Amino acid sequence: MRFELIRRDRASLEMALMAPVLALLAAGLVSWALFAAMGVPAGRALWTIAATPFSTWYDFSEVLVKTAPLLLIAQGLAIGFRARVFNIGAEGQLLIGAICASAIPVLLPSAGSPLLWVAMMALGMVGGAAWAAIAAFWRTRLNANEILVTLMLSLIAAQILTYLLLGPWKDPMGMNFPQTRMFQPGALLPGLLPGTRVNLSLLFGVAATIAAYVFMQRSVTGFRLIVTGTAPRAAGYAGVSAARGVWLSLLISGAAAGLAGAAEVAGPLGQLQRSISQGYGFAAIIVAYLGGLHPVGIAVSSLVMSAIYIGGDNAMVFADLPQSAVLVVQGLLLTFYLIAATFVRYRIAWTGTARA
Amino acid sequence: MTPGATSGPASGQPEAGHPEPPRQGSQPEPGCDVPLLRLRGVSKSYGAVQANRGVDLTVMPGSIHAILGENGAGKSTLMKMIYGVEAPDAGQIEWNGAPVALTSPSEAGRLGIGMVFQHFSLFDTLTVLENVALVVPGSPRRLAARIATLGRDYGLQVDATEYVGALSVGERQRVEILRCLMQDPRLLILDEPTAVLPPQMVTRLFSTLRVLRDRGVSILFISHKLDEIRELCDAATVLRDGQVTGHADPRDTDTRSLTRMMIGRDLPPALPAEPGGAEGAVQLQLSQLDWTNPDPYAPDLRGIDLKLRGHEIVGIAGISGNGQSELCALISGETRLPTRAAGAIALRGQSVGAMGAAGRRALGLAYVPEERLGHGAVPEMTLWQNALLTAQSRGLTRRGMVDRRAALRFAQDCIAGFDVRTAGPEAEAGSLSGGNLQKFVVGREIMLAPSVLLVEQPTWGVDVAAAAEIRRRLIEMRNAGCAILVISEELDELFEICDRLHVLHDGRLSPSLVTARTTPEEVGEWMIGAGRPDAAPAGKGGGTGPARPGSSGTNADRPDTARPDSARPAPSHPDRSDPAAEGPGAGAASEGSDHAV
Ligand SMILES: Nc1ncnc2c1ncn2[C@@H]1O[C@H](COP(=O)(O)OP(=O)(O)OP(=O)(O)O)[C@@H](O)[C@H]1O
Ligand SMILES: [Mg+2]
């Protein structure tokens, strides 16, 4: 039995909706086999990952805490992805955003304004956008591949963070831990749901979703970006500037990632630490694709991904799962989604006989 | 029929296909009365659109069978089912008398069916050789050699090392045909293969097809050019609205009856365009335009001078690959000149060489490119979104937001105004039949009411009635004052609508020839570079056809434009405004050409 892929007459809506579900199921199945092979109680581990995030109000509030940065970053990335500008370094932009935002409370520890966080958010966005702008510059100037540039810039960002935390910004009273001092109250984001760590950054995510929806589905600029991504020649024909698309995509996604970083340090953490991100910048790539690069889809997929984070944490505790296993689950999810997404545009045709 | 007769150019083909015994032993011996292919009651619908209903078709071995029908009649759909790309909803396909289920192209390929699609199926980022190697087995070295010899024998020269993305539409068509022939098919499906080939290549292609037919290969041939069909085919099936409406032997059916079978009425006689009369201001001017192609195998443009006024249609003839795509990109702004050379292109008095496409559009330029899928339109987007692509300035946006209603209305007007057969403005551009998408793109650009319109291959793939309509619209626009530049390989068409002609050969533009006072023969000489007294040996680029176009039969029976003496190539005039130029200078040019050949 051989098969081949045949292009469909039109994109299949059912398949577009089914793809993430199928990807979840397939990723679950393979993880199950993998956990079993590792000697971990596979059923229990999967159950922990899938169910515990929604079992208690506290767990669910933690899911929302993690949803916020994922949602924010993924909405920004998806805009670029639809224009075929692949910003893979949101992680770095997030770190730079966090560093820029932290500069205010770290350098002005006695500033007492209750609205310090507003300036921090702005600075975070600017920082993230500036970091991404480096890639845009080289892409438009030298046609340097933005995938590589953004990715390598993430490594540099991580080194900058380490340098600051081990050197100039280290908390003098922090018993030599690589972290800054705790921020003053004015430098913290207001909480959203009392009794939980959910804060304003979730609203940023929601606002980004609405903005992304309007931008991509309604605005002329968004339409042009999509044309650049789907048919570059037609874009040139219509007079849409490819360079402008690159700049716009990278600035938007950089700003979103920077804001997410700022909101992390001013939100759940309250200080700049080494582990501010937990790989949000990379996970958001998966979130963006799982959501079909559509603002509404991303809102759902960010919740799912965040639940996997929380579930994975729980599984580490209760099912003895190594931390890297969660990364494997995420990777499987993306792989299977990309496979399933192929069938939105293509169908399988079975050819009965083997080639002579 | 003389099976196995290896005469003519195709004898150079190493593994020439013979009408060998059937490859599947279980099937009955194909005698002369067993059709090679038989369709019974084949139907196919796409959603609400019924593309084919109950189609019966019988193709005999060694026959060249035409499929005729207006745009959207279902011709391509039917061919795709025979080639296994689409599955029929109902009906049966028989091959050599036995029913077959064709589920994929490779399945069809194994039976010996080859197809050249209306829209290309080549990979832009691969070379010609790599594209061929994807479907034809053999070592790269042998394939390259075969591409070269077959190309020469069949008059389908292409450079095997060139990237497909850098080829013009006409050159891609040659690759497609060549690749298909290399697989030694027993049934060859050609979906509008001649739409973008220049006449001399069409002639070569036809003799190749006749040789193949004489060897027992059957050919399904789709074309909107009825003369071609009458010249080549021995059977014809006419489709209308997805149904078979008649059969004919095209050899003894005249064009008019064929037209009536296709569109159900007579075509109004094509009137040669009256000269514009009014002399407009210069709208587009190229002055000594030089451009060095970054692709070393494609032609550079050298010293191009052109003046395009309002109230006139100027044609650029020439075989594609001689700089047409480069010239269009430079005029449209998709390729920009460096600022210091910007003055070489002036649009409505403004030097625009360094300006982008959007700026030039804002100055009143509209452009219909030759490739409609992916260039003139985004296949994955709906028609109203494709309207938005270039018609934003026509009130389709409001404060930076898309005015969906207005875009829908614009697309709907275009559909109605240009008789685009489609489900509606929400249909994806890629779902339209080739000719209908062409009508949409042409219509959209015309609806922009431009002052300067640049059109490549205006009637590519469009049926006779619609082609006449497009030409009528172009003339109407000219009469209203628009300046129109038409780039086409179809001499008949250029002679029908243009006031003046230039010929582009190897990146150089001939002087202006007044249509009414030149002949296809003279234009043909310029097309092969012989019109220039100093005809230099062809430099780089230009996989040009070797035949002298004057001998091409298709030119003979075009409507007679006002042409005083067509006996011998008439001397040309550098410019219409200078009718007294008929003198020794111009005469010497055509004299010199004779020596240069
Ligand atoms: N993928 C598709 N999805 C929806 N409709 C389609 C699709 N392909 C073709 N159609 C419709 O089927 C009909 C027949 O199309 P087809 O391409 O077979 O026409 P055609 O006879 O080849 O026309 P042309 O001369 O313009 O090439 C058209 O109305 C077209 O819009
Ligand atoms: Mg067709």
Side-chain angles (χ1 to χ4, degrees), chain A residues 2 4 6-7 9 214 218-220 223-224 226-227 230-231 233-234 236-239 345 347 349-351, chain B residues 46 85-86 103-104 106 334 357-358 361 367 369 374-375 380-381 385 389-390 392 397 400 402 428 444-445:
Chain A
R2 277 169 19 89
E4 50 193 293
I6 308 274
R7 203 176 154 84
D9 308 335
V214 173
R218 297 269 181 271
S219 83
V220 178
F223 170 78
R224 289 191 177 142
I226 297 174
V227 174
T230 15
R233 267 194 97 192
Y237 163 72
R345 274 280 171 187
R347 64 183 169 81
W350 296 96
T351 47
Chain B
Y46 297 104
V85 180
E86 299 280 0
T103 50
S104 73
S106 60
E334 284 161 62
R361 279 186 175 277
Y367 171 37
H375 192 186
E380 295 88 354
M381 290 188 163
Q385 286 171 323
L389 199 60
T390 62
Q392 281 168 24
T397 62
V402 173
E428 276 183 22
R444 179 189 65 197
E445 298 302 299

Side-chain angles (χ1 to χ4, degrees), chain A residues 240-311:
Chain A
V240 178
S241 151
R244 192 162 169 248
V246 170
W247 275 103
L248 210 59
S249 301
L250 281 164
L251 289 182
I252 290 175
S253 52
L259 177 60
E264 278 304 289
V265 287
L269 303 178
Q271 64 182 164
L272 188 62
Q273 315 172 338
R274 245 167 129 175
S275 60
I276 38 180
S277 157
Q278 304 190 4
Y280 291 141
F282 296 116
I285 300 171
I286 307 177
V287 170
Y289 275 103
L290 270 185
L293 301 185
H294 189 283
V296 176
I298 290 170
V300 177
S301 63
S302 60
L303 259 176
V304 171
M305 182 59 82
S306 149
I308 291 176
Y309 266 110
I310 302 295

Side-chain angles (χ1 to χ4, degrees), chain A residues 9-10, chain B residues 46 49-51 69-78 80 86 118 191-192 224 421-423 430-436 461:
Chain A
D9 308 335
R10 59 184 72 219
Chain B
Y46 297 104
V49 181
Q50 181 109 38
E70 48 186 350
N71 294 131
K75 304 179 295 293
S76 298
T77 308
L78 192 64
K80 285 184 198 157
E86 299 280 0
Q118 183 175 11
D191 196 347
E192 300 195 25
H224 290 293
R421 312 278 168 85
T422 172
S431 80
L432 263 64
S433 83
N436 280 307

Side-chain angles (χ1 to χ4, degrees), chain A residues 340-355:
Chain A
T342 309
F343 296 105
V344 176
R345 274 280 171 187
Y346 292 85
R347 64 183 169 81
I348 286 190
W350 296 96
T351 47
T353 49
R355 187 178 279 271

